[in-house]
Amino acid sequence: MSLARSLYLLALAACAAAHSPREDGFRERRLAILPESARQNLPIAFSDDGSRAAYIDQEGNACRVVAGEWKSRAFERLC
Amino acid sequence: MASLGTLDGKPEFLLDDRIYAPCGADWELSWPLTLSEDESVVACRATSQKTQKTCIVVDGRRGEEFDRVGPPALSRDGKRVAYRVQLGERCFVVVGNERGPDGELMSDPAISADGNVVAYAARREGRWRLVVGTKETPLDHQPSVVFLSADGRSVGYWYMESGASGISRIRVVVDGKAGEPFDLVTRPVFSPDGRRVTYGADDGKKQFVVIGDRKIEVVGRAGDPVFSPDGRKVGYGARIGREIWWKILDLP
C-alpha cells in the first residue's frame, strides 16, 4: 500500500494562525458549489480573508481536500 | 492547507500534500498546528512515545519537556511562543523560555501580535484571576477561553454559567463588560483597532453574528466571523444548500 493511499484525514480546519485578513479579498462571493460527492457532515474551513474554502470530496474510494482550484492527492479513507 | 490524518493508525500532519514530521517517528504531534502570519513558522505539541513527556516544537526545534502542555500561541512573526504547562500538581504559562507564576488551574494563553503581551486565566488560592501582562484582576467565575487584541490593550474571555433550567450557557466578557448568554459561541476576535469584538453565536436553532453590542441573525453560518483589515466589515463563511459563501456584514 502506498503512503498516500494509506493516509486518511481525520480533520480539516484552518490552522490556529496569527493571520490578519487581506483587504483585497474581503468581499461577498460564492466560493464553491459542493458536488454531490462532497462529505456533508464534515466542517468547511475558510481562509481569514474569505478568498478560499476547503472541503472534502469523495469519489469512490478516492478522497481529496478541495480548496478553490487546489486539490490534494487522493487518499483512501476519510472520517 | 493543514490537515490531520493517520498512517497505519499513527497520526500524521499534512501541510498541503507534504507530511509534516519534524521530530521523527518517536514523537507524536497533536492538533492544532499554529502558524506565523507569513506561514514560515510552524508550532505544535509533540509527545514522546518513549517517555510520554510533551513539549512544544517550533520550526522543528523541541522545547523543554513537561508532563503536559497546551497548544502554542505565536506572535505574528512567529518569534515568540506562549503555552500552558502542567508539571505534577502545578501549572504555569511559559513565554519564550521564561516560566510564569504557579497556579492550580490555568487557561491557554493568548499573545499580542508583537508578542509583548500575554493574557490567560489562572486559579490561585482558590480564586480565578485574569492575568494580562503583569496585571491580575480577580474574577467571580472560571474563564474558559481568553482572547486578546492585536495591540494587547483589550482582553476578553468567555465563561459558562448555569441557567435556571440547569443548562449551561456561554457568556462573552470584553474588557469587563459581559454580553448576553448563548448556547454556543465561536472564538471571539477583536477588530484591528481593538475596540470591538465579533463572534458567532447559536441560540437554539437560531444563528447569530455578534459584533460589539449588535446581534445579527444569519443563516448557514459555517465559519468563525472575522473583521476586515480596516475594521469596517465582518466576514464569515456560510453554507447555503450546496453553495459555500463568504458573507459580508457592513458596520455602521
Side-chain angles (χ1 to χ4, degrees):
Chain A
M1 182 180 291
S2 72
L3 190 67
R5 285 180 58 79
S6 62
L7 279 168
Y8 66 95
L9 298 178
L10 288 172
L12 168 69
C15 289
H19 286 168
S20 54
R22 291 186 294 271
E23 190 76 62
D24 56 355
F26 220 89
R27 57 187 170 82
E28 186 155 314
R29 64 180 113 177
R30 189 175 68 188
L31 298 171
I33 299 176
L34 289 171
E36 293 289 335
S37 48
R39 282 292 182 92
Q40 302 300 305
N41 55 351
L42 288 176
I44 301 166
F46 296 88
S47 62
D48 281 348
D49 64 358
S51 64
R52 295 206 305 169
Y55 59 92
I56 295 172
D57 191 24
Q58 181 170 9
E59 287 187 41
N61 288 331
C63 301
R64 299 175 192 275
V65 179
V66 180
E69 298 297 313
W70 180 82
K71 287 188 177 182
S72 74
R73 57 183 166 178
F75 301 110
E76 193 171 49
R77 294 181 60 196
L78 292 167
C79 61
Chain B
M1 182 64 57
S3 45
L4 169 63
T6 68
L7 172 60
D8 295 332
K10 180 177 178 296
E12 297 280 8
F13 284 78
L14 299 171
L15 282 175
D16 292 331
D17 271 348
R18 290 180 297 112
I19 292 177
Y20 180 71
C23 304
D26 290 339
W27 291 83
E28 184 174 293
L29 306 185
S30 297
W31 191 263
L33 299 183
T34 304
L35 306 181
S36 61
E37 183 169 56
D38 66 1
E39 302 179 359
S40 66
V41 179
V42 181
C44 64
R45 286 172 287 177
T47 302
S48 167
Q49 300 305 288
K50 294 179 180 174
T51 66
Q52 296 304 307
K53 294 284 188 181
T54 67
C55 66
I56 294 295
V57 183
V58 181
D59 264 355
R61 293 185 299 274
R62 294 197 306 272
E64 189 175 354
E65 295 174 24
F66 299 103
D67 293 344
R68 199 164 21 157
V69 299
L74 276 180
S75 59
R76 275 198 186 147
D77 63 6
K79 291 182 178 176
R80 202 156 169 83
V81 62
Y83 54 96
R84 174 177 48 87
V85 168
Q86 185 79 39
L87 189 61
E89 297 296 309
R90 297 184 298 145
C91 58
F92 49 86
V93 164
V94 172
V95 183
N97 294 317
E98 294 183 11
R99 299 183 182 189
D102 286 359
E104 297 142 13
L105 290 170
M106 284 185 186
S107 72
D108 292 320
I111 192 166
S112 61
D114 64 6
N116 287 332
V117 182
V118 171
Y120 57 96
R123 195 182 75 182
R124 297 193 186 100
E125 299 167 347
R127 181 86 191 261
W128 279 97
R129 303 149 199 273
L130 184 63
V131 183
V132 184
T134 56
K135 182 183 174 189
E136 294 196 8
T137 306
L139 300 174
D140 295 326
H141 34 253
Q142 174 182 346
S144 298
V145 170
V146 174
F147 53 98
L148 196 58
S149 62
D151 63 8
R153 292 180 181 173
S154 296
V155 65
Y157 61 90
W158 84 50
Y159 69 95
M160 307 278 289
E161 66 175 16
S162 296
S165 59
I167 298 172
S168 292
R169 308 251 289 165
I170 301 171
R171 204 184 279 274
V172 174
V173 180
V174 179
D175 287 336
K177 183 181 177 186
E180 71 173 273
F182 294 98
D183 293 339
L184 292 170
V185 301
T186 65
R187 190 177 186 89
V189 292
F190 278 99
S191 55
D193 64 6
R195 297 172 65 180
R196 287 197 269 204
V197 162
T198 186
Y199 54 93
D202 290 357
D203 209 1
K205 292 184 178 178
K206 289 186 175 180
Q207 289 187 314
F208 301 93
V209 171
V210 177
I211 308 169
D213 293 332
R214 296 171 64 203
K215 182 179 79 171
I216 302 157
E217 187 168 354
V218 297
V219 175
R221 197 195 71 241
D224 297 356
V226 293
F227 282 97
S228 61
D230 64 6
R232 296 168 67 178
K233 301 173 186 170
V234 164
Y236 65 97
R239 178 179 167 174
I240 300 168
R242 303 197 72 83
E243 297 182 345
I244 302 174
W245 279 81
W246 186 250
K247 305 291 282 185
I248 296 292
L249 298 169
D250 289 308
L251 306 184

